[in-house]
Amino acid sequence: MAAPELTKADFQSDQETRWCPGCGDYAVLAAVQAFFPELGIPPERIMFVSGIGCAGRFAYYMDTYGMHGIHGRGPALATGLAAARDDLSIWVVTGDGDALSIGGNHLIHALRRNVPVKILLFNNQIYGLTKGQASPTSERGKVTKSTPFGSIDAPFNPLSLALGAEATFVARTIDTDKQHLPAVLRAAAAHDGAAFVEIYQNCPVFNDGAFDALRDKRRGAINRIYLEHGAPIRGVVRAADGTLRLGDDGEPVVHDAHREDPSFAFALSRLSSTPDGPTPIGVFRDVQRAVSGRDLFAELQAARAGATDASLDALMRSGDTWTVS
Ligand SMILES: Cc1ncc(C[n+]2csc(CCOP(=O)(O)OP(=O)(O)O)c2C)c(N)n1
Ligand code: SF4
């Protein structure tokens, strides 16, 4: 008998959502819950791993398996899970503070290793849960509770960072874009390896309007530069010196998400450092590379098949041993 078709309701947990009214996290949650049935993967084969932050609460609201881990360690936990279970669809939900402050190291190595997990970074350019301190994506000069005279630090560009970490799939989308967000999730899910998706997410309480230039219907129509593999990139040209620029003074540029050399995707990621003007969204890079854990998983299976208690005991007593007296 064929398995019953899944619906959005199959992915909605009975937990009360605890985000502030109007938070962009609601829009992302609704889009993810509506998208997951099309994957055809039963909820019990799906894992959502999160760190700490408002974004981190996401795992409670998906009626799948989930783990609300410790701050910044979502990618590390997911890496362990991916090594042990190659039958799961593993998703990490993280915030800009969680992923790029305390968790920066874990994020870059998961991407470098090409661990088969999908990492959704909800970027609201602020620490939401702890009530509005500057994050690694807050713009220079940003006045917050932790930067009363304006932030003096240069922000990360998350996509440039991911590309520098050798990520094989790098994309950007917007919380309230009901067509684009699922399209990017679809591409991320189809990617064999680590997928990194930055989602511009409005925090109406501590950083309202950070992405209005893109979220607003009228301004967004002008400022969103949709990337589509094989199609010309609107409003982007190659200038006489070979660099990619915004504007129309140069050669038209056709998007190539599958280009091995990451410098093209990197150049696209540099076109907008803060999202207050024309900004590319979509899949910047989607290439194939050896996937971490695949060989490890087979090796573990083989090792397990031949393992007995006796051999473990022999292993513990083998090699150099010392008697502590
Ligand atoms: C080890 C540790 N250090 C600091 C904190 C405090 N803390 C909790 S969430 C957070 C940052 C949250 O910001 P972000 O990741 O951007 O997520 P958001 O709440 O905006 O979704 C911090 C610093 C913590 N919980 N644990
Ligand atoms: S503090 Fe901001 S990010 Fe957190 S739930 Fe409230 S609106 Fe959302």
Side-chain angles (χ1 to χ4, degrees), residues 19-20 23 54 124 128 201 203-206:
W19 291 313
C20 312
C23 177
C54 300
N124 53 22
Q201 174 249 322
C203 169
V205 175
F206 297 111

Side-chain angles (χ1 to χ4, degrees), residues 40-59:
I41 304 172
E44 65 271 19
R45 293 264 178 211
I46 297 168
M47 182 75 178
F48 271 82
V49 183
S50 64
I52 304 297
C54 300
R57 299 197 59 76
F58 200 93

Side-chain angles (χ1 to χ4, degrees), residues 79-104:
T79 298
L81 192 59
R85 294 282 302 267
D86 68 350
D87 58 331
L88 300 181
S89 174
I90 304 171
W91 297 70
V92 173
V93 173
T94 180
D96 39 299
D98 190 61
L100 302 174
S101 290
I102 196 167

Side-chain angles (χ1 to χ4, degrees), residues 80-88 291-304:
L81 192 59
R85 294 282 302 267
D86 68 350
D87 58 331
L88 300 181
V291 176
S292 168
R294 288 269 150 80
D295 295 345
L296 176 67
F297 189 76
E299 280 168 24
L300 287 175
Q301 292 282 75
R304 254 187 226 119

